[in-house]
Amino acid sequence: MPVLNDPATVSEIASLHDAYERALAANDIPALNGAFWDSPHVVRFGVHEQLYGAEEIAAFRQNSAPVFTERTLVRRQITTFGADHANVMCEATQRVGGRWRTNRQTQVWVRFPDCGWRIVAAHVSAGPAAMPPQGEAALQWVDAASAAVRLTVPPDLREPVAQQLLRIESIVGPLLAFNLPDGVEPPAVFTP
Amino acid sequence: MNTLFHELGAAEIASGVASGRWTARAVAEAALDRLGSTHSRLNAFTLVTSQRALAEADAVDAALADGRPAGPLAGVPYSVKNLFDLAGEVTLAGSRIQASAGPAGADATAVRRLSAAGAVCLGAVNMGEYAYDFVTENAHVGATRNPHDGARSAGGSSGGSAASVAAGVVPLSLGTDTNGSIRVPSSLCGTWGLKPTYGRLSRAGAFPFVGSLDHIGPFARSVRDLALCYDVMQGPDDQDPVCTGRPAEPVSATLERGLEGLRLGVLGSYFTPDAGGPAERAVQRVATALGATRVVELPHVEAARAAAFAITACEGGQLHLPRLRTRLREFDPAARDRLIAGALLPASHYLQAQRFRCWWRDVVRSFFRDVDVLLAPATPVAATRIGQETMRVRGSEVLVRPNLGVYTQPISFLGLPVVAAPVPESDGVLPIAVQLIGAPWSEGVLLRVARVLEAQGVCASPVVLRN
């Protein structure tokens, strides 16, 4: 029976997965390809595609641009079996087309004597629409503020509006943090 | 008569009409003809005012026959973004909701001034709903297609204006710019565009979006035409409280003065486009042609963009609040959720943004003591595909819609005048524009610089209509 979750092995896989996530965010195609086993036996199921063999995976990377932004890992479980086998299962939230979505990723890693750790099988799927971490506070804000301005926000629009508020918050951050000198007045009618 | 009217500029048409070389009627008929034959390709026009156009053309011809002097735009056809009031027509502002409003009682001030100069109104053109987009992908009438490539966006929100000019349907169009809506479509369609100083041109009779940031301005295929249209529209107007009381300061007579005495610079830091990309190439070509080597780095530009964003969200949301309460489901969903969110923002965001605006205005004014014209890209990329959601900027994937205006938004925030100077298409590379940015009320200087670029062949706006 191989050793389950040997700490050194878990740590190694965590670093490799961190590097993979960085490569994803940067669309670093050589790094992404390098993580996968260079073999006709490797398989990757993406959200919209089924790819068999390293060549198909590399061709896919070359010909497609990633559509997500602001990917954040929410939960990751690494399970290692002995020193040469590991699974990574993780959940992330990311923005696709302006909407937050959950994303699920499975990776099966094997350590090869000649080239070290490689992904031998992977599967990515999209989950339902999600709220990002600050979501609950934003929803409460929508409820309270819409009542204050007497604007009914129907149930199906609560989350999309909350997501827009979060987006606005992230953009206006630099303004809100800015220390203006005392005594600057807003204009009555702006003159350039 | 075999004259290809659609290849002529406004000044040429007016000159030909004034001299009797051709009639205003012939020009109007040819323009209406071209409008009809290009409509399914462009989807630019939402209203064709053929009766009005022919009546206006006939009136120009009759006045000339009577011995009265021709106006500076005699017989020149033009289009207006469909947020400008046209007497007797319903002003749509890109929406479905406004379709149930009553017709406008009178022309918008700018339209009235064009008419008085002899120009002929062909109709109203498509825009992003309530001006809240940079791509003119209108949920109700569809996207306006770029004349350079029918699968690509014309930019927004004045996409119909840029497309109708670039494709040679009209030599002039009126649009509006709040955070980039004249400069972005000029860039994507390869036309000249002018966003004057905030308050320079009356916005009376134009459906508002963000009172603190709205400007109106012309599109054209030559600097001379841009200047001509701008001069005709200038002048105080009590009906727009923001419109300056400064008398008109015509610029057409000084276009050929060249660069003498002018100090030019290139905006760096925030405004530095991706290395090796089309925006960088365009700025470099323009900078080289003008001998602009100095790099100017404005501070706090991210905060400025954030402030423009906050003001837009707050004022836009507040403007539409009554309609959000009663006609919520009739909004374009892409605009609706953003407008609701804007209406829910706290007052502190808005006031901080307005205070910052006054403070930053003074900071940037000090830079203009040492420089007259600053260069920056108009857009980070050339025309994106219709429906495209993300694009690569600064090494990461970002949403197309808000980020097309990343370079325009901080500049219009201060109400500085800008000419969008198109670097034309070549070898299959799409056009893209460069912003020529000046101190307030320096439109004459900017147009002089634009004329130099045009004379050198660095910037141009030929008629284009590809598949």
Side-chain angles (χ1 to χ4, degrees), chain B residues 128 131-137 153-159 177-185 188 305 309 338 379 384 400-406 408-409 412:
Chain B
Y132 212 169
D133 97 348
F134 283 129
V135 290
T136 310
E137 287 173 25
S153 168
S157 60
S158 312
D177 188 313
T178 300
N179 290 296
S181 292
I182 288 175
R183 294 160 286 161
V184 168
L188 271 51
R305 192 213 172 180
F309 200 88
R338 287 189 290 161
T379 49
T384 46
V400 164
R401 285 176 171 235
N403 288 291
L404 278 177
V406 67
T408 51
Q409 193 164 28
S412 36

Side-chain angles (χ1 to χ4, degrees), chain B residues 195-218:
Chain B
K195 185 206 74 62
T197 309
Y198 179 75
R200 176 82 264 185
L201 294 181
S202 169
R203 307 163 319 174
F207 196 98
F209 173 28
V210 182
S212 291
L213 300 175
D214 286 348
H215 310 61
I216 74 163

